[in-house]
Amino acid sequence: MSGRPVRITVDGEPVAGIAGQSVAGVLLAAGRNSWRTTRSGAPRGVFCGIGVCFDCLLTVNDVPDVRACLRQAADGDEIRTQTREERV
C-alpha cells in the first residue's frame, strides 16, 4: 500500500481510507462491522474475507452486489449499503 489517502462516501457519509485497502477494510477501520441486511433484518459484513461467501455485498458506483472484501477502494467511490430486497 502506498499510504496515499482515499475518500469514499458510504450512504452519503464521507469515509477515509488508504490506497490499496479493500472496501471492507476501509469500512472496518471506520468502525462499521455490518453494511447489509438479510430478509430477516440480520446484519451482515465480512465473513470469509476472501470472496467465497456473499455476506459483504454492497453497491459501488451504482453497481449492485459488489463483494467489499475483493474490491479495492478508489478515491471518490460512492457506496450504498443494500438489503436482500434490492436484488430484484
Side-chain angles (χ1 to χ4, degrees), residues 1 3 10 22 24 27 32-33 40 42 44 54 59 64-65 74-75 79:
M1 283 191 262
V10 181
S22 67
L27 293 173
R32 289 181 172 236
N33 294 324
S40 69
R44 293 289 185 262
F54 297 91
T59 300
D65 299 332
D75 201 39
I79 296 170

Side-chain angles (χ1 to χ4, degrees), residues 31-52:
R32 289 181 172 236
N33 294 324
S34 66
W35 46 86
R36 184 178 76 81
T37 56
T38 62
R39 270 188 208 151
S40 69
R44 293 289 185 262
V46 173
F47 180 72
C48 74
I50 59 172
V52 176

Side-chain angles (χ1 to χ4, degrees), residues 8-15 32 77-81:
I8 64 175
T9 58
V10 181
D11 295 330
E13 295 180 28
V15 178
R32 289 181 172 236
D77 276 346
E78 292 185 24
I79 296 170
R80 288 191 326 268
T81 56

Side-chain angles (χ1 to χ4, degrees), residues 18-33:
I18 299 170
Q21 276 185 304
S22 67
V23 171
V26 172
L27 293 173
L28 290 170
R32 289 181 172 236
N33 294 324

